Amino acid sequence: MKYIVVTGANGGIGNATARLLLKNGYEVIGVDLFESDINDKHYHHICCDLSNSSSIEECKALIKKMTNEIYMIYNLAGIFKLQTMIEGSEEDLRKILEVNFFGAYKINRSLYPLLTKNSRILMFTSEVARYSPQPFNGYYALSKIIVDKYADILRRELNYVGIKVIKVQSGAIKTKLLDGVNHEYETTLSKTNCYKKPLIKLKKLMDDEIKKQVSPDLMAKKIVKLADKKHTKINYKIKNSFKLRFLNSLPEKLQDFIYSSVIK
């Protein structure tokens, strides 16, 4: 049996991915801060706080009791924060970097000794990592840009030891993470002194993009295929936004003008 670790296993994409991997005959180790609702003898859930190094080491110790070899790590855990760079909380910025980047960085480092030649690591980044950043999405964009570049560096380093690193830049997925966008928006709007009008204008554009979110089951089907695929690409762009892609085909100054004209 091949063991696969799924972080964020209790989230929308993580849960769907874990279930599909089980159907495909894998032994799945789900890692999440909260308990899982998956009931399967081949599923092993570990409660772990990815922002806590001691918790990650405890997670590793539990995994070593199950197996000495891991075939693949799916780094799917993540959180979302919508705040402005000037008025936003430094604590929240540190939190999102701790979970989205350092969580993946630490779990990969910790479990690396259990990976063998031909093992794989999947890094779930975001379409925001490939585009010029949008206003008011800086905290999330920063975290995903760092994860994206980390994935590129890790891929080139692990090439030397025969371990694949696959990057997935996804668009909007219908998960608990996006369900919290409206709460984040309302909180930021209520606290801002500088950006009330732009944030009110932003709401319609934000809602239009959220309406296009796809099912986590669809995303799971696409990324689970990468576990068995013999020849994988460096990067998979899945369900990316046409509007963002078009906007980013324009010069930066023109993008600035459009943002300042449409959201003001």
Side-chain angles (χ1 to χ4, degrees):
M1 295 289 284
K2 289 182 177 178
Y3 281 82
I4 292 183
V5 173
V6 179
T7 72
N10 204 41
I13 300 170
N15 189 279
T17 299
R19 290 179 184 276
L20 194 52
L21 286 169
L22 289 167
K23 285 183 180 179
N24 288 0
Y26 289 100
E27 204 78 13
V28 179
I29 301 171
V31 177
D32 200 286
L33 189 58
F34 305 103
E35 291 288 351
S36 174
D37 62 351
I38 298 176
N39 184 15
D40 189 295
K41 66 179 181 179
H42 297 294
Y43 181 76
H44 316 274
H45 193 78
I46 299 176
C47 288
C48 176
D49 180 357
L50 292 178
S51 67
N52 185 299
S53 297
S54 297
S55 184
I56 289 175
E57 286 308 303
E58 289 172 10
C59 174
K60 177 185 177 181
L62 290 171
I63 291 174
K64 287 181 72 175
K65 290 180 180 179
M66 302 177 209
T67 180
N68 290 320
E69 291 186 3
I70 292 173
Y71 172 62
M72 188 164 182
I73 303 171
Y74 277 84
N75 288 283
L76 303 179
I79 60 174
F80 178 83
K81 298 287 182 184
L82 192 154
Q83 296 197 31
T84 72
M85 299 306 296
I86 294 298
E87 297 176 313
S89 157
E90 179 182 337
E91 181 182 353
D92 282 347
L93 177 57
R94 290 183 182 276
K95 179 67 175 179
I96 196 170
L97 292 175
E98 193 66 48
V99 174
N100 291 4
F101 167 61
F102 281 106
Y105 165 78
K106 290 176 183 178
I107 201 80
N108 289 338
R109 276 176 61 96
S110 179
L111 299 184
Y112 171 76
L114 301 181
L115 299 177
T116 61
K117 189 174 181 180
N118 298 320
S119 289
R120 301 175 177 201
I121 296 174
L122 182 138
M123 298 300 305
F124 199 75
T125 71
S126 170
E127 63 181 345
V128 302
R130 60 185 283 234
Y131 296 137
S132 180
Q134 303 161 278
F136 314 124
N137 196 29
Y139 281 21
Y140 186 70
L142 272 174
S143 73
K144 288 302 184 178
I145 289 167
I146 294 171
V147 170
D148 199 82
K149 294 308 174 188
Y150 160 72
D152 290 336
I153 296 164
L154 189 65
R155 182 187 71 250
R156 289 182 175 167
E157 292 183 354
L158 293 188
N159 270 341
Y160 293 109
V161 294
I163 296 173
K164 287 186 177 183
V165 176
I166 305 163
K167 185 168 67 174
V168 173
Q169 294 174 329
S170 79
I173 314 297
K174 187 173 178 57
T175 64
K176 292 178 183 177
L177 184 145
L178 273 185
D179 288 344
V181 169
N182 282 326
H183 173 73
E184 288 284 331
Y185 169 82
E186 293 297 339
T187 300
T188 300
L189 181 63
S190 67
K191 291 182 177 180
T192 185
N193 292 315
C194 305
Y195 302 112
K196 283 201 181 294
K197 287 185 178 179
L199 279 168
I200 290 169
K201 286 276 189 178
L202 174 70
K203 187 66 165 65
K204 184 181 184 304
L205 297 176
M206 188 178 76
D207 288 344
D208 287 344
E209 288 301 309
I210 290 175
K211 286 176 185 176
K212 298 173 186 175
Q213 59 191 345
V214 299
S215 162
D217 293 325
L218 174 64
M219 183 60 63
K221 286 179 183 178
K222 290 181 178 294
I223 63 176
V224 164
K225 288 180 181 178
L226 302 180
D228 287 325
K229 198 173 179 65
K230 187 174 181 181
H231 300 291
T232 58
K233 295 191 292 186
I234 287 172
N235 184 19
Y236 290 85
K237 303 174 181 68
I238 302 175
K239 297 297 179 181
N240 284 188
S241 164
F242 172 78
K243 284 182 181 178
L244 285 179
R245 187 165 68 249
F246 173 75
L247 185 62
N248 277 264
S249 68
L250 306 175
E252 290 272 356
K253 281 192 174 181
L254 182 53
Q255 290 183 51
D256 287 350
F257 173 77
I258 291 171
Y259 277 124
S260 62
S261 300
V262 175
I263 307 172
K264 66 178 182 178

